[in-house]
Amino acid sequence: MSNVIATPPAFGRTLPSRGNEARDSRITAGVIALAAIAILIGGAFAGLILEGVNDLTGAIAAFDGYLFRVARFTLWQAALSTLFSVVPALFVARALSRHPQFPGRGLILRLFAVPLALPAIVAALGVLALYGRAGYLAGLLSKISGGDWPGIYGLSGILVAHVFFNLPLATRLFLEALNAVPTDQWRLASQLGMGARASFRLIEWPALRASLPGVAGLVFMLCITSFTIVLTLGGGPRASTLEVAIYQSLRFDFDPARAVALTLLQILLTLAVVAMLMRLGANVTGDANLSVAPRRYISSRRGETMLDVALIALALAFVAGPMLATVLSGLEADLMRLAGEATVQRAAATSLILAGLAALLCVVLTLALAMARRAMQLQRRGIGKKSFLEHMTDTGAGFVLVVPPIVIGAGWFVLLRHAGDVFALAPVMVVTVNAVMAMPFALRAVRPVYDAASERHERLCAQLGIAGWSRLRLIDWPVLRRPLSTAFAFAMALSLGDLGVIALFGSDQVQTLPYLLLARMGSYRTADAAGLALLLGLICLALMALADRLGKDTAQ
């Protein structure tokens, strides 16, 4: 009788147990991915530590007045940028929330998402084209100031560029918090006859206040680790942050001891900010997606509506201005001549190749971590404490957000300078650093889809003995094709516009479009720089639009 009801061995398998952990190829792939991340970050720290030990006296002497002055400016500009970005965003988000269905609202929200896709150097050039000494608004600003407009280099330029990037981000995050307020609360407020002031005090402000620390902390972290904006708009040593000082100490002064001291201080500051973000529960990747705005039951008075319109119009003009200036100044350049230059063609080809390789590596590492995490979760059957390895597959990729790209680049720069030509390794460093830096964002697209697919197919795959490459090709790939494509496009766009690593390792032999753009700006070839900025911005926007489209198709 027992032979009749027995299940054939091939179909009697259960999900893997703890004893099979070492034999699961997904966990092996995850371990390899974690090892790659550990080597990248650990190698940077090793280079910094070895350099500090070899020149301990110089590293200690580097903690002088200049270093602490740079640290103070780093914190000061980040605090001001956060204040000028977050406070207006509260009112703009409230104005958009109170009018969920006016014509053009969706276009405004899409426009507010554009700065997230623009490379920082493109935005910086747009700010200069609009507010610079020879910018489109220079005449108007000269009349307002009563003299010649001096330009916008220094702290003012840094603040304008940071607000350009972070005001739309903060607005979208605050708007997401307001959209999460239950519709029943608005219906009840309408029935009780609440006006705008009472509804703000009792409904809107509690939602905004709950998200305020996290949004402010996120913006502060983005500003404290800003490199490209400060490099292009700082205007000199008086407006220099720690990351820019690291770059200058290695590329211009070649003072590795000072670079080590600056890097250690930058890491401490970043760790403190990230720890604060974790306590506040902030989303350090900045979700740009918005839910559907709920129906509102409280009508605004005419005066309130006019004020809301003015706020939205001002924010729209501030965000759209540099983008429009970038397009106009780019079109004024000799684009045909630029496109025919061999240097530009090589830089464009190098950018696309390195960005493509970085995106491919990012996708491979991301998929490995997602698979390993799910495999270990199944092995413990969702109960008990996570092992250290499972915890690292869950949070290891996010650790790279603590260490800015310029810090990793600086560590490897001082480590590799003893091994030969540092600049010959530029392609390897650009690809690996940009790939790892994009992983936290790629995981947002890949991991939920993989977990959902595993929930459906895991037991059947175990019963049929489908694993490894066969499972990836036959079972997982049809489901993961779109989210992996989304992650690839997103990672490629981030890598294409990055200047942090190539600024250290770039040379005449290895140039990307951002590096070439910075070089043209440094040689006062502003027309060429404007044309290159337009080209780079359009490519990155196209990639981000593709990633957004693929992500929406995946969600559907």
Side-chain angles (χ1 to χ4, degrees):
M1 184 66 177
S2 60
N3 292 334
V4 175
I5 63 174
T7 306
F11 293 88
R13 296 176 182 173
T14 59
L15 296 178
S17 63
R18 288 184 182 270
N20 295 329
E21 180 173 330
R23 294 194 295 272
D24 196 319
S25 59
R26 293 178 295 178
I27 296 177
T28 303
V31 170
I32 295 174
L34 285 175
I37 298 173
I39 290 173
L40 181 67
I41 299 177
F45 279 102
L48 296 172
I49 293 172
L50 290 176
E51 188 66 34
V53 171
N54 291 335
D55 191 3
L56 185 59
T57 303
I60 296 175
F63 285 90
D64 53 11
Y66 169 77
L67 186 145
F68 291 107
R69 186 168 64 251
V70 171
R72 283 197 304 270
F73 181 81
T74 302
L75 294 173
W76 177 239
Q77 63 83 22
L80 289 178
S81 298
T82 302
L83 178 66
F84 294 148
S85 298
V86 172
V87 173
L90 287 168
F91 297 99
V92 176
R94 179 175 179 266
L96 288 169
S97 176
R98 283 185 168 271
H99 305 279
Q101 294 182 341
F102 66 87
R105 183 180 187 273
L107 179 62
I108 292 175
L109 292 178
R110 285 193 292 271
L111 187 67
F112 276 15
V114 171
L116 302 176
L118 275 181
I121 193 170
V122 174
L125 205 63
V127 170
L128 286 176
L130 188 62
Y131 302 106
R133 180 176 298 178
Y136 293 110
L137 296 181
L140 177 62
L141 294 172
S142 296
K143 292 180 181 179
I144 295 175
S145 61
D148 292 335
W149 177 245
I152 200 169
Y153 283 106
L155 178 60
S156 58
I158 295 171
L159 294 179
V160 169
H162 280 167
V163 175
F164 167 78
F165 274 110
N166 297 313
L167 172 64
L169 172 63
T171 298
R172 291 174 66 89
L173 292 175
F174 284 136
L175 186 57
E176 184 178 5
L178 289 173
N179 288 348
V181 175
T183 307
D184 291 342
Q185 292 189 18
W186 292 109
R187 185 183 295 112
L188 179 61
S190 177
Q191 293 172 350
L192 295 176
M194 282 188 186
R197 183 174 300 178
S199 62
F200 173 76
R201 181 170 55 89
L202 298 175
I203 299 177
E204 292 172 321
W205 175 241
L208 292 172
R209 184 179 56 195
S211 61
L212 178 59
V215 174
L218 172 61
V219 172
F220 188 83
M221 188 194 74
L222 294 174
C223 295
I224 204 175
T225 58
S226 176
F227 170 73
T228 305
I229 292 297
V230 182
L231 179 65
T232 53
L233 296 175
R238 294 184 61 183
S240 181
T241 58
L242 287 170
E243 293 200 7
V244 174
I246 293 169
Y247 164 75
Q248 292 170 341
S249 65
L250 289 176
R251 286 302 300 258
F252 298 111
D253 304 330
F254 197 72
D255 188 352
R258 179 172 293 278
V260 169
L262 290 163
T263 304
L264 291 176
L265 189 55
Q266 173 69 39
I267 292 172
L268 291 176
L269 286 178
T270 310
L271 282 172
V273 174
V274 171
M276 178 185 68
L277 286 175
M278 294 178 65
R279 289 182 61 86
L280 297 173
N283 176 15
V284 292
T285 57
D287 192 359
N289 296 320
L290 287 171
S291 57
V292 179
R295 180 183 174 188
R296 293 301 167 89
Y297 295 87
I298 298 179
S299 59
S300 299
R301 297 178 181 177
R302 182 177 178 83
E304 296 167 352
T305 301
M306 295 300 295
L307 179 60
D308 291 340
V309 170
L311 286 171
I312 295 172
L314 286 174
L316 179 62
F318 183 82
V319 174
M323 290 188 281
L324 181 60
T326 301
V327 174
L328 293 177
S329 60
L331 292 176
E332 291 174 359
D334 191 349
L335 296 177
M336 296 301 296
R337 178 184 59 80
L338 277 176
E341 283 189 20
T343 303
V344 175
Q345 293 174 357
R346 285 196 300 270
T350 301
S351 294
L352 292 172
I353 292 172
L354 295 182
L357 291 175
L360 180 61
L361 179 59
C362 172
V363 166
V364 171
L365 294 176
T366 297
L367 182 59
L369 287 186
M371 292 191 302
R373 171 186 173 274
R374 178 62 178 169
M376 284 184 282
Q377 183 184 44
L378 291 170
Q379 285 179 356
R380 65 182 176 86
R381 294 176 175 85
I383 59 176
K385 293 184 179 180
K386 294 181 180 179
S387 65
F388 175 77
L389 185 59
E390 182 182 354
H391 183 74
M392 289 305 298
T393 58
D394 195 16
T395 61
F399 183 74
V400 301
L401 296 174
V402 180
V403 189
I406 192 69
V407 171
I408 297 179
W412 280 98
F413 191 96
V414 298
L415 180 66
L416 295 173
R417 72 187 183 92
H418 301 289
D421 185 6
V422 173
F423 302 106
L425 297 173
V428 177
M429 294 307 305
V430 170
V431 168
T432 52
V433 174
N434 287 337
V436 173
M437 288 298 164
M439 285 182 64
F441 304 93
L443 274 170
R444 293 174 62 89
V446 174
R447 193 165 69 184
V449 179
Y450 182 81
D451 288 349
S454 173
E455 190 71 27
R456 294 193 301 269
H457 303 142
E458 194 69 40
R459 187 171 300 277
L460 180 61
C461 289
Q463 291 174 342
L464 297 177
I466 303 176
W469 176 253
S470 297
R471 170 174 175 164
L472 179 62
R473 180 172 57 89
L474 298 174
I475 306 297
D476 295 330
W477 173 248
V479 179
L480 293 174
R481 183 173 62 247
R482 281 195 177 275
L484 287 175
S485 300
T486 301
F488 183 90
F490 194 90
M492 189 171 179
L494 290 179
S495 178
L496 194 65
D498 180 69
L499 185 63
V501 182
I502 194 64
L504 277 177
F505 290 89
S507 62
D508 292 338
Q509 287 71 38
V510 182
Q511 291 185 339
T512 61
L513 280 176
Y515 187 87
L516 182 62
L517 200 164
L518 182 65
R520 295 290 171 91
M521 289 179 65
S523 58
Y524 300 101
R525 299 171 65 179
T526 55
D528 287 358
L532 292 173
L534 179 60
L535 174 63
L536 179 61
L538 290 176
I539 295 175
C540 290
L541 286 176
L543 287 170
M544 295 296 285
L546 177 62
D548 183 64
R549 176 64 181 271
L550 292 172
K552 290 180 179 178
D553 291 343
T554 300
Q556 293 173 357

